[in-house]
Amino acid sequence: MNKFRLTLYVTGHTPRSEKGIRNLQRICAEELQGTYEMTVIDVLEQPQLAEDQKILATPTLVKELPPPLRRVIGDLSDTEKVLLGLDIAALGGANERKGK
Amino acid sequence: MSLHPKKVQEDPSFDKGAVLRLFAAMPDGMIVLDAMGIVLYANDSAHRMFGGRRLLGKNLGLPIMAGESHADIEVIDSAGRVGCAELRAATFDWLGQPATVASLRDITERRALERQLALAGQVFENAREGIIVTRPDGVIVSVNRSFTTITGYSLEEALGNTPRLLKSGEHDRAFFERMWESIAGQGFWHGEIVNRRKDGSLYPELLSISRIQDGDGQVAHLVGIFSDLTQHKTDQAALEEARLQLQQSEKLLEEIERRYTVANSPVLSVVGGMYGSAPLSRSAAGVFDELVHRYGRTLELAVENLAFKVDNPVSDQLRELADDLGYLQAGARDVAELHAQTLTRNTKGIPAAKAKAMIEEGRFLVLELMGDLLSFYRKNYSRVPAAAHPERDSTTKALHSRAKKGST
């Protein structure tokens, strides 16, 4: 199975950034069952990287792999909306939830 | 106005161009995104928020938010500057394809203001000074934690009251008239005032009252910032007492010096006449050594008192030492030599901090010893006739045995 490669772009060490990171960690742990590679990039620390990737706003979560490439911006606390936005069919948790 | 909403909605000439012009004129950023988050349309306000960056065809990302509410995001403009925006989104049909319209409200200034307010709030609550905010009529609208700590009144007790709550009765009417004249004329007053705590006790405080004006120049609030001077006053009193004690000791020291150096001094006529000016360290070297040993131990105890807040009987030991020095007819020079030799011996090979403490504490100790010695002479001098003065040698022997006894 292909690994999911997810990159989260945040701005600084703010409570909002921390919350975004926590949400992503939770989604990865609960829904992607270890088949993921997660990177967090602070656009203040690596502005060129953000510029190269044409990041216009934060928090932006990018699913680079598997295709198709998808981006979402905003509040990552609703797991199902995040998975839907990234075009990811969850491997575990979401299906279990649906089955309940 | 010629436009009537109902008429406009029904008017077939209300075309797409009009809708786009409406979008363009909106103060909020409006962005239309396709199903993948690619920008299909952005109005002028959106372009301004992104610093004039070209947005069409760029992948902003699909907006998501918890529930139906909004999400706060940071927008990055073309120069890399970061602003704050409130993001709202809705899905709709755009020219026959599913799309999302995202509105972005610039909240950069609001966030900065909120941060400033939060900081001001933190400063207000955590200031060590007590702070009272009143309306122009004097009614208290806010107090901070330190106000409660200092006065004993809680926020709830203070609210709705006036600062007269703290009135001590220690100041006359003229005092307050001058205060209010200064506030009315100069916009502030600064000075010391005695107030009364909730428990009835009085306390001195250093108070600054300032007028706060609103945008129209009208007095909106008065702010009083005060610090409790109780501890400061106590410290000042203790300092003054220590200064007086030092002054007194120095005077005693001078008096001893004078009595031993002025040729026609009655003490010198007795003591100096009998024993000349040979220093004790030479005339009674053995006993002097014992005295150095004893004085050294007393000095150690004094430093211990200071370091460990214990209560070794330093003053008692100094008095005994002074008595023995008195019996030996010791002078200020002997005391100075005793002190110097002891310091040299006791500070050898010890940590610098301890040596420093010993030298500093030694200054007080030697003054106290001088004072005790003078008291000894004052007490005993008149009762000791010149002819009956004990020989230094015999006294030396007696003390020698006493010193040995003390050291065991």
Side-chain angles (χ1 to χ4, degrees):
Chain A
M1 183 184 292
N2 284 335
K3 267 196 172 182
F4 289 95
R5 189 190 291 167
L6 300 171
T7 305
L8 175 65
Y9 293 85
V10 296
T11 302
H13 300 279
T14 63
R16 189 154 57 246
S17 300
E18 301 294 331
K19 187 181 165 200
I21 294 167
R22 276 201 310 277
N23 279 329
L24 179 58
Q25 284 169 335
R26 180 177 48 76
I27 292 169
C28 288
E30 289 176 3
E31 310 292 339
L32 305 183
Q33 299 178 342
T35 58
Y36 63 89
E37 200 178 288
M38 177 186 140
T39 312
V40 177
I41 291 171
D42 184 344
V43 301
L44 297 182
E45 288 172 6
Q46 294 173 281
Q48 195 51 51
L49 206 55
E51 186 59 34
D52 293 346
Q53 295 302 313
K54 307 274 186 288
I55 298 300
L56 301 172
T58 57
T60 292
L61 176 59
V62 182
K63 185 198 72 175
E64 286 154 10
L65 285 172
L69 182 85
R70 283 284 188 274
R71 284 184 181 195
V72 293
I73 60 166
D75 186 336
L76 307 180
S77 53
D78 188 326
T79 304
E80 285 187 31
K81 284 184 180 174
V82 174
L83 295 176
L84 199 66
L86 294 176
D87 201 6
I88 296 175
L91 303 174
N95 292 333
E96 279 170 24
R97 272 200 307 279
K98 277 173 194 163
K100 275 179 192 170
Chain B
M1 284 290 277
S2 60
L3 282 176
H4 188 279
K6 223 171 180 179
K7 190 179 171 198
V8 169
Q9 280 175 9
E10 290 162 359
D11 190 344
S13 67
F14 188 74
D15 58 12
K16 279 183 279 188
V19 176
L20 285 179
R21 284 197 296 281
L22 176 68
F23 261 44
M26 289 183 87
D28 287 346
M30 302 298 291
I31 297 176
V32 178
L33 305 157
D34 72 7
M36 310 242 270
I38 308 291
V39 178
L40 298 174
Y41 166 82
N43 70 354
D44 289 350
S45 296
H47 282 106
R48 267 198 303 276
M49 286 175 76
F50 286 93
R53 202 193 270 272
R54 188 180 151 78
L55 294 172
L56 280 185
K58 297 280 166 57
N59 191 347
L60 176 69
L62 273 178
I64 52 168
M65 50 213 79
E68 299 304 313
S69 66
H70 65 274
D72 286 351
I73 61 167
E74 294 92 14
V75 295
I76 304 163
D77 75 10
S78 51
R81 284 185 299 254
V82 177
C84 296
E86 199 174 84
L87 168 71
R88 289 173 195 275
T91 51
F92 75 122
D93 185 85
W94 171 267
L95 307 173
Q97 57 173 314
T100 300
V101 59
S103 82
L104 291 171
R105 176 160 295 175
D106 191 340
I107 54 167
T108 310
E109 278 182 31
R110 197 172 87 196
R111 283 280 177 268
L113 203 64
E114 282 170 359
R115 276 198 297 275
Q116 267 188 334
L117 278 174
L119 179 66
Q122 289 279 318
V123 171
F124 180 79
E125 267 313 310
N126 293 304
R128 287 178 63 86
E129 289 79 14
I131 303 177
I132 293 189
V133 184
T134 75
R135 293 192 319 226
D137 62 3
V139 173
I140 297 170
V141 293
S142 187
V143 296
N144 70 345
R145 258 200 300 263
S146 289
F147 170 90
T148 301
T149 309
I150 296 170
T151 67
Y153 288 105
S154 68
L155 170 68
E156 292 71 25
E157 287 168 322
L159 289 180
N161 259 301
T162 71
R164 280 192 287 277
L165 185 68
L166 308 170
K167 195 177 172 184
S168 66
E170 293 285 307
H171 303 282
D172 59 14
R173 193 187 210 148
F175 175 87
F176 289 105
E177 278 173 3
R178 280 196 301 277
M179 176 193 279
W180 287 111
E181 267 171 30
S182 171
I183 295 169
Q186 296 173 270
F188 68 91
W189 180 85
H190 181 77
E192 265 187 54
I193 182 168
V194 175
N195 271 341
R196 191 180 294 279
R197 296 190 184 91
K198 189 182 173 186
D199 66 8
S201 60
L202 298 181
Y203 68 98
E205 67 176 42
L206 190 65
L207 171 65
S208 295
I209 304 176
S210 306
R211 245 178 9 199
I212 305 292
Q213 293 174 325
D214 62 16
D216 301 326
Q218 297 295 311
V219 178
H221 293 101
L222 292 166
V223 179
I225 302 176
F226 61 96
S227 47
D228 188 347
L229 290 178
T230 311
Q231 190 58 44
H232 179 69
K233 296 270 183 198
T234 311
D235 291 350
Q236 252 186 348
L239 210 66
E240 181 62 15
E241 198 182 329
R243 198 180 62 79
L244 283 174
Q245 272 180 358
L246 195 67
Q247 240 174 22
Q248 216 171 6
S249 302
E250 278 167 354
K251 270 187 191 157
L252 289 171
L253 180 64
E254 278 169 21
E255 197 177 333
I256 292 174
E257 294 280 5
R258 189 174 51 76
R259 287 192 179 204
Y260 278 84
T261 51
V262 174
N264 59 1
S265 152
V267 173
L268 193 69
S269 67
V270 175
V271 180
M274 287 173 70
Y275 306 109
S277 56
L280 201 59
S281 57
R282 262 190 286 154
S283 65
V287 171
F288 190 79
D289 256 6
E290 286 295 334
L291 292 174
V292 168
H293 185 66
R294 277 171 62 195
Y295 182 59
R297 272 200 323 231
T298 308
L299 184 57
E300 295 270 2
L301 293 180
V303 173
E304 260 181 33
N305 280 357
L306 201 68
F308 306 117
K309 310 278 176 226
V310 290
D311 198 18
N312 292 318
V314 170
S315 290
D316 293 347
Q317 294 195 5
L318 283 175
R319 262 195 303 278
E320 279 180 22
L321 202 60
D323 286 355
D324 293 349
L325 284 163
Y327 282 123
L328 284 166
Q329 312 292 353
R333 190 182 53 192
D334 295 318
V335 174
E337 199 177 349
L338 173 70
H339 181 66
Q341 277 202 23
T342 305
L343 277 186
T344 310
R345 189 181 292 184
N346 279 38
T347 54
K348 204 174 283 174
I350 65 167
K354 193 179 175 191
K356 187 167 174 268
M358 201 167 270
I359 290 165
E360 280 174 3
E361 193 56 18
R363 286 192 192 121
F364 294 99
L365 228 59
V366 70
L367 286 171
E368 192 174 340
L369 182 61
M370 291 275 191
D372 288 344
L373 183 57
L374 183 69
S375 300
F376 175 87
Y377 286 135
R378 276 181 174 159
K379 202 167 64 186
N380 298 300
Y381 173 68
S382 59
R383 288 191 281 110
V384 184
H389 241 287
E391 289 292 329
R392 178 171 268 184
D393 284 350
S394 61
T395 314
T396 303
K397 280 173 194 155
L399 282 178
H400 199 86
S401 63
R402 189 170 152 186
K404 276 197 161 170
K405 211 166 109 191
S407 67
T408 50

